[in-house]
Amino acid sequence: MHAIETVFRLESPRVVAGVARIVRDVGIAEELTQDALVAALEQWSRDGVPDNPGAWLMATARHRAIDLIRRRETYARKLAEIGRDLETTAPPEEPADPDDIDDDLLRLVFTTCHPVLTPQARTALTLRLLGGLSTAEIARAYLVPEPTIAQRVVRAKRTLATKNVAFEVPYGPDREARLGSVLDVIYLIFNEGYAATAGDDLLRPGLCEDALRLARVLSALMPKEPEVHGLTALLEFQASRTAARTGPDGEPVLLEHQNRRRWNRLLIARGIRALDRATALGAPGPYALQAAIAACHAHAYRYEDTDWRTIATLYGLLAARAPSPVVELNRAVAVAMADGPAEGLKLVDALTDEPALRDYHLLPSVRGDLLTRLGRTTEAREEFARAAALARNEKERELLLRRARE
């Protein structure tokens, strides 16, 4: 049973994508893929897992797709467009051209991240169809009731159907606009795993792994898109620190106190290669710039060796390319490390009236840290207490309260 579950999680995205190309509906494609799983559970439990389980699932799901088209009169014209050979020829055990699979996966990525869906719906549908996660697993990851996730997925599939969203990869300006949505969804999934917004755990490694896998798949499918490699590099660098980011009891370990020998050098090497590919394809975009910042940390074997001046410069470039109050806050931290806490505090104080940062716990946290370094401990304690009141993650709240006490 465990082997079947593992195979299905790995293969289901490709099967859904291949079937969606036939039926042109991701909801129906998922149902037919689930039917294929049921058939697999029955037959594989009796006869064992076949040598090529992915091809078996694909062939079974495609058979069911063709049967469905035959049964429905409304699909008659679509059947003619697909080709009469589907009526008489059994589907191949595996696609004749591996690029066909890649094309289908790429179509599925762009479909699940279509702008007609809300960001929450895109994330849930992407994890469901491309991450292979169950509704219960997604609900646990985001700490929301399972029916909420189920409704998001159902509504997302219904919206794609009612809006007649084409199962295709857009080109030209549409592709550039849609690619941003795809990358944002993968980045949001990773960030929720890397620094959970709520709950008792700081990390949810499963979400990080799913997002990193999606980024790697996308970089293989779109090798000439620099920001795809930029995002992949960023996630590789960030994931390399995971083991060092928490202590024995799951408490957060700040960057300056992390044991860098626990950083994963294999992931860092992968990040460097991905960043090199991104920069070779043109001027760095926002994700590539963030990856370059992460690379500065990765290259420093000690916290004291960090090139903060370069990091501050990169944040300045990032602020010009993708301006946001959060980027400015991060730039203030880098400036404080390069030029002293007083210079950083000036930049932070300029952000205190930003509406987007009003409930952002890291603003008073950063301010508290700079005030501590300036010896203004009473003010610092107040800032850490305010940050703790805003934090939704229990581990972060405990850390901030401890810093307030200290």
Side-chain angles (χ1 to χ4, degrees):
M1 178 67 74
H2 179 70
I4 295 175
E5 290 176 357
T6 301
V7 166
F8 187 71
R9 174 166 293 194
L10 292 173
E11 299 293 342
S12 63
R14 295 179 182 274
V15 177
V16 171
V19 175
R21 176 159 53 90
I22 298 174
V23 299
R24 319 301 290 183
D25 185 304
V26 295
I28 295 174
E30 187 188 16
E31 292 175 8
L32 294 171
T33 303
Q34 292 288 341
D35 288 345
L37 173 63
V38 172
L41 289 171
E42 294 174 353
Q43 185 166 327
W44 296 359
S45 298
R46 184 182 64 249
D47 303 333
V49 178
D51 293 335
N52 194 335
W56 192 99
L57 287 168
M58 180 73 80
T60 302
R62 282 167 58 92
H63 276 301
R64 281 163 168 70
I66 294 166
D67 289 342
L68 178 66
I69 292 175
R70 285 178 180 148
R71 288 197 305 269
R72 295 188 177 182
E73 292 182 359
T74 54
Y75 279 99
R77 186 171 51 199
K78 192 173 291 187
L79 179 61
E81 292 172 359
I82 292 171
R84 296 189 179 281
D85 59 314
L86 287 176
E87 294 183 301
T88 57
T89 305
E93 285 301 303
E94 53 187 326
D97 186 349
D99 288 341
D100 288 345
I101 292 179
D102 291 347
D103 289 345
D104 289 341
L105 271 176
L106 198 56
R107 292 185 188 100
L108 185 59
V109 170
F110 276 91
T111 301
T112 61
C113 297
H114 197 283
V116 299
L117 304 177
T118 65
Q120 296 88 344
R122 292 176 214 164
T123 301
L125 191 60
T126 301
L127 283 174
R128 173 75 176 169
L129 298 184
L130 284 154
L133 273 66
S134 69
T135 303
E137 288 171 323
I138 301 171
R140 281 199 301 272
Y142 283 92
L143 301 179
V144 297
E146 187 175 340
T148 300
I149 294 297
Q151 289 170 7
R152 286 180 190 172
V153 171
V154 169
R155 281 198 297 266
K157 290 188 287 191
R158 185 186 302 128
T159 299
L160 293 176
T162 56
K163 296 288 187 180
N164 293 317
V165 172
F167 185 69
E168 63 183 11
V169 178
Y171 292 93
D174 287 344
R175 177 170 179 160
E176 185 175 344
R178 292 266 292 279
L179 179 60
S181 175
V182 171
L183 299 180
D184 288 348
V185 166
I186 296 174
Y187 185 54
L188 285 171
I189 293 171
F190 183 89
N191 269 356
E192 185 57 33
Y194 191 72
T197 55
D200 297 330
D201 298 318
L202 180 70
L203 301 177
R204 298 195 184 107
L207 283 180
C208 292
E209 292 167 6
D210 285 318
L212 186 52
R213 180 165 57 84
L214 291 174
R216 289 170 179 167
V217 167
L218 196 61
S219 64
L221 297 177
M222 305 181 73
K224 296 182 180 180
E225 292 287 349
E227 274 293 78
V228 173
H229 296 300
L231 175 65
T232 304
L234 174 60
L235 301 194
E236 299 279 10
F237 285 130
Q238 298 292 75
S240 71
R241 305 182 207 159
T242 300
R245 291 189 65 237
T246 55
D249 298 323
E251 70 277 11
V253 178
L254 298 176
L255 183 62
E256 61 186 294
H257 299 136
Q258 288 178 16
N259 179 357
R260 300 192 174 207
R261 288 191 297 273
R262 300 189 67 196
W263 286 8
N264 189 318
R265 290 291 152 183
L266 175 60
L267 293 182
I268 289 174
R270 294 181 66 116
I272 292 171
R273 288 196 297 271
L275 182 57
D276 287 343
R277 285 193 288 268
T279 54
L281 290 169
Y287 284 117
L289 286 170
Q290 291 180 72
I293 292 168
C296 288
H297 291 294
H299 286 306
Y301 282 88
R302 298 184 308 157
Y303 183 75
E304 297 78 14
D305 299 332
T306 307
D307 186 354
W308 289 107
R309 198 164 298 283
T310 295
I311 291 175
T313 300
L314 289 169
Y315 269 121
L317 295 173
L318 181 60
R321 287 295 306 271
S324 83
V326 173
V327 171
E328 288 297 336
L329 181 61
N330 287 325
R331 186 171 77 87
V333 172
V335 168
M337 296 302 298
D339 299 326
E343 293 302 313
L345 187 60
K346 291 178 186 177
L347 298 177
V348 173
D349 285 345
L351 298 171
T352 54
D353 292 329
E354 278 286 347
L357 299 180
R358 187 169 295 129
D359 298 321
Y360 189 51
H361 70 285
L362 291 183
L363 176 62
S365 174
V366 168
R367 196 166 187 276
D369 185 63
L370 297 179
L371 290 168
T372 299
R373 291 169 57 192
L374 290 169
R376 295 159 61 178
T377 54
T378 301
E379 296 171 83
R381 184 164 55 247
E382 294 173 355
E383 290 297 309
F384 284 129
R386 190 161 72 89
L390 292 173
R392 295 169 55 200
N393 183 277
E394 189 60 34
K395 295 297 183 183
E396 282 191 298
R397 185 182 298 113
E398 291 172 2
L399 172 64
L400 292 165
L401 289 173
R402 185 170 71 249
R403 297 197 72 185
R405 289 192 301 270
E406 292 170 351

